[in-house]
Amino acid sequence: MASRFIYLDHAATTPVDPRVVEAMLPYFEEKFGNPSSIHRAGGEARAAVEKARQTVAELLGAKPSEIIFTSCGTESDNLALRGVAFALKGRGNHIITTPIEHHAIGHTCEQLAKEFGMEITYLPVDSFGLVDPDDVARAITERTVLISIMYANNEVGTIEPIAEIGKIAREKGILFHTDAVQAGGHLPLNVDKLHVDLLSLSGHKFYAPKGVGILYVREGTPLLPIQTGGGQERHLRAGTENVPYIVGLAKALQLAYEEMESEVARLRSLRDRLIQGVLERIPDAQLTGHPTQRLPNNASFVFKGIDGEAILMQLDLAGVAASTGSACSSGESTPSHVLLAMGIDPLLARSSLRLTLGRRNTSEDVEFVLAILPQIVEKLRAISPAYT
Ligand code: PLP
């Protein structure tokens, strides 16, 4: 077993930043109060949650009352979709989305269609995974209640034209949600510039802990809670607030913004070296996703004739952690729904590899992968009947 450990799976999750841990620590033991309690300990916890809400709101260009803390990106997506669908059920039953969304959106839409009679339009994407805003405009009907399109794709990193789509939605008076879980920490998220009514984020994608998320909800947006109970989060998300994690989430988002410009430039240069090196050194390697309109940390490929999971195992033995694409779909035997929607042949789609860089990665990490990956692919192809 290699003692080396190079983590290249930051789209799956990130380590918690020590500065975030430090900000959270007092809220586990010393300042442990329930924000709903009337006494001093409760007040202290309430103040911390509201300060975090203020910080997040400022970073997104929103009002504090528009920020709802949730337990994860999945919950934020569920609340956006179900919350709007249920609130507007008297007005319409049509949702517009894409076939490349995360399952948090895809499976929610499937259930809304099957159990609640919603009609779902899945817009086409091109071979880079891009949605055409004109298709969004054409898909809107009198029954449309919501458009939900992700900001950046978790498998191939393609960045969608959210601001353009948002403008169309606004002009037509249709609510617009974006799943910005993968964009968080990498791209600016000003809700007015993006023209979004709802936006989902997840802490563990930008160096906060797993199990805490955000749903931005523009003032006046009709939304029913999907989790009922106490009156927390303006009655939109019942449950005692996870105070330490909310504090950590706000700290992590603030750090990501402060360091975004330099970190994005650094990641982009590492990513480009990785992409260029792989394409130069490995025959029949193909970049997936858009060549330039992609997340600064995402390098994803298909390698004709071999199995992506076999590559992962070999990389793991060499001390490199990577992914075939979505963490949530690993172990499933069907090829990625994202790659299929982009028109990639099902057999080729099985050969996917996603390398996602992060704060601790260096150019030595990239050079190491460029040294071992061509040998791994060559070795696997030599024993693969599918490679001709
Ligand atoms: N949406 C996207 C695009 C994601 O990549 C993920 C996680 O990978 C999620 C939603 C779900 O977020 P969480 O893991 O916080 O539930």
Side-chain angles (χ1 to χ4, degrees):
M1 194 58 104
S3 58
R4 180 184 290 104
F5 181 60
I6 299 177
Y7 185 76
L8 289 176
D9 200 12
H10 291 83
T13 197
T14 58
V16 182
D17 188 297
R19 296 166 293 181
V20 171
V21 176
E22 198 190 347
M24 290 167 61
L25 280 177
Y27 295 93
F28 286 104
E29 260 195 305
E30 269 165 67
K31 305 182 181 183
F32 63 88
N34 182 328
S36 297
S37 299
I38 304 295
H39 47 66
R40 194 189 308 166
E44 207 168 44
R46 166 63 51 211
V49 169
E50 295 317 316
K51 185 165 169 263
R53 200 186 308 281
Q54 176 81 36
T55 302
V56 170
E58 274 169 23
L59 296 171
L60 303 190
K63 296 178 189 151
S65 59
E66 296 174 317
I67 304 299
I68 308 292
F69 291 116
T70 67
S71 69
C72 59
T74 299
E75 186 193 331
S76 301
D77 284 346
N78 271 263
L79 178 55
L81 260 58
R82 286 177 212 281
V84 169
F86 295 163
L88 294 184
K89 74 174 189 306
R91 202 185 299 172
N93 68 340
H94 180 224
I95 292 177
I96 298 170
T97 186
T98 80
I100 61 162
E101 302 294 316
H102 187 272
H103 288 326
I105 296 289
H107 288 169
T108 306
C109 283
E110 278 171 28
Q111 198 202 38
L112 285 171
K114 196 161 166 246
E115 308 292 343
F116 298 94
M118 300 292 295
E119 280 172 23
I120 316 288
T121 296
Y122 296 93
L123 300 170
V125 294
D126 70 9
S127 59
F128 299 130
L130 273 179
V131 173
D132 181 348
D134 289 340
D135 285 335
V136 180
R138 278 191 287 270
I140 294 172
T141 72
E142 280 183 354
R143 307 283 296 157
T144 309
V145 289
L146 181 68
I147 301 167
S148 179
I149 296 177
M150 70 197 325
Y151 195 174
N153 182 265
N154 46 303
E155 296 191 27
V156 297
T158 297
I159 299 170
E160 300 296 340
I162 291 305
E164 239 181 290
I165 296 168
K167 243 188 211 162
I168 293 168
R170 182 67 43 85
E171 277 163 20
K172 305 262 186 182
I174 310 290
L175 294 174
F176 180 39
H177 166 250
T178 191
D179 174 344
V181 166
Q182 289 292 336
H186 290 127
L187 305 176
L189 299 167
N190 183 293
V191 291
D192 286 338
K193 287 190 185 152
L194 292 174
H195 307 288
V196 292
D197 300 298
L198 302 121
L199 179 144
S200 304
L201 284 172
S202 173
H204 74 106
K205 308 295 183 177
F206 50 87
Y207 305 89
K210 295 156 196 62
V212 63
I214 295 168
L215 181 65
Y216 158 77
V217 184
R218 187 176 292 279
E219 199 167 63
T221 301
L223 194 79
L224 281 180
I226 56 171
Q227 179 163 305
T228 47
Q232 292 93 349
E233 302 300 291
R234 293 194 298 117
H235 293 274
L236 288 172
R237 199 276 176 182
T240 301
E241 299 87 340
N242 189 343
V243 181
Y245 280 39
I246 289 171
V247 168
L249 174 74
K251 177 74 179 176
L253 196 61
Q254 187 181 11
L255 290 170
Y257 266 78
E258 281 167 13
E259 296 166 5
M260 197 179 285
E261 208 179 309
S262 57
E263 183 60 2
V264 162
R266 193 186 76 86
L267 288 173
R268 215 177 256 151
S269 117
L270 290 178
R271 174 201 70 185
D272 290 346
R273 167 78 188 126
L274 193 51
I275 292 175
Q276 185 202 15
V278 165
L279 297 181
E280 271 172 13
R281 293 170 196 212
I282 305 182
D284 292 324
Q286 187 185 322
L287 180 72
T288 52
H290 198 278
T292 54
Q293 210 167 307
R294 68 187 298 133
L295 286 172
N297 71 333
N298 177 300
S300 46
F301 310 91
V302 282
F303 300 98
K304 188 180 159 206
I306 46 177
D307 185 31
E309 288 192 5
I311 308 177
L312 286 194
M313 278 187 256
Q314 294 299 317
L315 282 174
D316 195 31
L317 286 173
V320 178
S323 167
T324 57
S326 161
C328 311
S329 71
S330 63
E332 287 177 13
S333 58
T334 48
S336 145
H337 66 286
V338 174
L339 298 181
L340 295 184
M342 288 161 56
I344 293 178
D345 171 79
L347 203 59
L348 190 56
R350 283 180 193 278
S351 66
S352 62
L353 176 71
R354 179 188 71 184
L355 304 169
T356 45
L357 296 146
R359 277 187 198 156
R360 294 180 190 167
N361 291 128
T362 61
S363 53
E364 286 77 44
D365 295 344
V366 170
E367 295 312 319
F368 181 74
V369 172
L370 290 178
I372 63 164
L373 190 56
Q375 298 163 24
I376 291 175
V377 171
E378 195 182 341
K379 199 168 92 180
L380 291 171
R381 278 179 175 163
I383 54 165
S384 165
Y387 187 67
T388 46

